[in-house]
Amino acid sequence: MSQVTSVRPLVANDIEHVAAIHQVAFPRQLESLLWISCNAAAYPRIRYFVAVEDGRLVGYIQWTEKSGFREEVVLELEQMAVLPENRGRGIARALIGQSLPQVACELEKRGARIKGVMITTRTDNVAQRIYTSTLGAVTKAVIPDLYSADEAIMIALSPDFSRE
Ligand SMILES: CC(C)(COP(=O)(O)OP(=O)(O)OC[C@H]1O[C@@H](n2cnc3c(N)ncnc32)[C@H](O)[C@@H]1OP(=O)(O)O)[C@@H](O)C(=O)NCCC(=O)NCCS
């Protein structure tokens, strides 16, 4: 409980650690190293941030810009995971709360702002609660059996960064 979680942008040396977290967090998804590597190469369309505690990488978050580089940006919180042994201590909350302002700051440099955040997740995933409490996201649609189960499409318009 006493560890301080810092959240910073991914660097190249983090990729294999992030891939290892991806592998344990999403067992149905294959080729973790390739998935993370090619996404990381898509910067700035895709931005990764990592959570670090005592020098150890314990989680990551992936933000993806949708539908071109726009002035009014719709960002997808495409993926987020925390190592199983580190869950339940607010790391996901820190990942969202500390990375989103950093993304907003970067976007501001090109004159853009975040219009909304979208998230898709399984309807049985507890993560939905996190998206509502941190971003104010609400479920707008459910697509039955999209990936491995029913998938909720959640949206937070003009997300309120002060919720953190
Ligand atoms: C979803 C996940 C990232 C949450 O990480 P975490 O660090 O444990 O989450 P936090 O500790 O920050 O919890 C944030 C909130 O969710 C709640 N929460 C987290 N896990 C919970 C659980 N299993 N059951 C009930 N509530 C839970 C916390 O109580 C907290 O609520 P609060 O903000 O109202 O206090 C983690 O469980 C994970 O990696 N899961 C596998 C991958 C995944 O499903 N990712 C999301 C879809 S992309």
Side-chain angles (χ1 to χ4, degrees):
M1 265 308 201
S2 59
Q3 290 102 324
V4 174
T5 308
S6 65
V7 174
R8 60 161 175 76
L10 173 126
V11 296
N13 284 345
D14 298 327
I15 289 176
E16 62 184 288
H17 301 290
V18 170
I21 298 172
H22 176 271
Q23 199 161 25
V24 292
F26 302 105
R28 281 179 293 268
Q29 299 181 24
L30 310 176
E31 303 271 14
S32 295
L33 188 56
L34 180 59
W35 166 254
I36 302 296
S37 302
C38 68
N39 284 335
Y43 177 89
R45 177 167 192 260
I46 296 178
R47 292 180 163 88
Y48 279 106
F49 291 83
V50 294
V52 181
E53 280 187 355
D54 297 331
R56 182 165 176 255
L57 210 152
V58 292
Y60 72 90
I61 189 166
Q62 176 186 336
W63 295 105
T64 301
E65 256 180 270
K66 305 295 285 181
S67 193
F69 292 133
R70 295 167 177 258
E71 283 182 8
E72 301 271 292
V73 174
V74 175
L75 264 186
E76 181 175 3
L77 195 177
E78 192 168 0
Q79 207 160 63
M80 174 176 70
V82 170
L83 279 174
E85 62 270 30
N86 294 87
R87 290 179 190 165
R89 292 195 292 102
I91 295 172
R93 175 172 277 279
L95 274 164
I96 296 172
Q98 292 185 42
S99 67
L100 191 56
Q102 295 185 56
V103 176
C105 201
E106 286 300 308
L107 293 174
E108 219 175 278
K109 290 179 190 163
R110 67 153 213 250
R113 72 165 197 106
I114 298 172
K115 178 182 182 188
V117 169
M118 67 175 288
I119 311 115
T120 86
T121 191
R122 282 172 59 126
T123 52
D124 61 0
N125 196 325
V126 68
Q128 284 167 103
R129 284 174 40 184
I130 306 174
Y131 304 139
T132 300
S133 68
T134 56
L135 297 165
V138 294
T139 299
K140 292 290 188 182
V142 172
I143 303 179
D145 198 23
L146 182 61
Y147 301 115
S148 53
D150 295 352
E151 192 81 359
I153 313 296
M154 304 183 76
I155 302 286
L157 288 178
S158 301
D160 178 4
F161 300 173
S162 65
R163 281 169 182 269
E164 285 307 297

